[in-house]
Amino acid sequence: MKEKIKELDELFDKQSANVSSDDEIENLRLDFVGKKGKITALMADFRNVPNEQKKEVGILINNLKNKVENTISALKESAKEKAIEKQIANDKKFDFTLPVDTKTGSLHPRTILQKTIVDEFVSMGFVIEDGNEIETEYNNFTSVNVPESHPARDMQDTFWLSNGEVLKTQTSAAQNRILRTYGPVCRVLFPGRCFRNESLDSTHENTFFQIEGVVVDENVSVANLIYFMKEMLKGVFKKDINVRLRPGFFPFTEPSFELDATCPLCGGRGCNSCSKTGWLELCPCGMIHPNVLKEAGIDPDKYNGFAFGLGFDRLVMMKTGLDDIRYLNSGNIKLLGQYGTKM
Ligand code: FA5
């Protein structure tokens, strides 16, 4: 038995000198002290050892078992440390200062252009306001002088909620609140999402955007309105754009106009985008109706002003060259993502 223990001891020394991986170490452990291991078998044989030798042989077996278990633990610890050192060495090969190839998102063309327009108006002394998307009938219609019988109040044109409120059909719905808050001397721009019960086509959506502006002061003129619109267009198209006014009708402005801009694509010579006319219809506008000022608590004998309601999606289409408004709400990232963050 003593001879066998010595042989196993030497065998373990030899084999333990040649293992390094986790698997090799574990196999060595199983081979010596596992359930079917060599030392485990030796211990099972222990009962056959003559009694007078039991004490000495018992100590030898225990010593060998302890030595094997301690050596295996030390080998496992050293393998772990080597793995960490290897990982650190690999990490050093990685250059953390190199630029990272990340996929960055892009802004929606509306967002990009709205920022340009907002910046332009802020530089001309406007404050930027927001409106609600759900509005009272009073704000959306009554406060801006839309008569009870106006077809816009009809179910066919407007999304009515069961509580009698509406999905805002026009940014003008915020006029009364804004004029009450800022008037009578103010310049305010308020972009917003609008909703109409429309049949859809390439220029009509049920969900679209307008950018509305109001200026109230003493002695405001149509010439002031034209100035602000031309400045805005210069900011958007980076060149002078001519405008013209045609008569229009809105209950909240008097006189009312349709403002056209020279087609930025052909410069007014006539092309497919402007149906060969050289002009693009851009922005209904006019001098604020005295009833609207009165309703907001502003004295129309002392103050006057203008308002405009830019059809923002149409301007985005002019700027991007997109020929169908439905692309803008499509969520088509391949198409809409190409504008990046600037236009
Ligand atoms: C109005 O909504 C007025 N509130 C604008 C206004 C404000 C006039 C202040 C005077 C003073 P209108 O219904 O024409 O006006 O709409 C304004 C613009 O919104 C239109 O010229 C058009 O460009 C855009 N628009 C209207 N309906 C839709 C639609 N269904 N889809 C896309 N754009 C639309």
Side-chain angles (χ1 to χ4, degrees), residues 11 17 22 38 42 70 79 112 118 120 131 152 176 179 212 277:
L11 181 66
D22 285 344
K38 294 183 172 74
L42 213 58
N70 291 340
I112 303 171
V118 162
E120 218 40 63
N176 182 266
L179 292 180
E212 182 137 345
T277 62

Side-chain angles (χ1 to χ4, degrees), residues 266-281:
C266 63
R269 285 184 298 279
C271 66
N272 286 341
S273 285
C274 58
S275 312
K276 312 268 184 236
T277 62
W279 294 96
L280 287 169
E281 190 177 315

Side-chain angles (χ1 to χ4, degrees), residues 170 172 196 198 204-205 208 210 250 252 284 307 309 311 314 325:
Q170 50 181 354
S172 306
R196 288 187 196 177
E198 296 271 14
H204 291 87
E205 257 289 7
F208 58 98
Q210 292 182 343
F250 298 98
F252 26 86
R314 307 241 169 108
I325 192 171

Side-chain angles (χ1 to χ4, degrees), residues 179-218:
L179 292 180
R180 280 186 181 281
T181 308
Y182 291 93
V185 176
C186 65
R187 295 176 186 189
V188 188
L189 190 81
F190 38 110
R193 195 196 314 258
C194 304
F195 308 87
R196 288 187 196 177
N197 196 355
E198 296 271 14
S199 353
L200 307 191
D201 59 30
S202 61
T203 53
H204 291 87
E205 257 289 7
N206 51 28
T207 304
F208 58 98
F209 287 75
Q210 292 182 343
I211 298 186
E212 182 137 345
V214 288
V215 169
V216 178
D217 208 327
E218 293 180 40

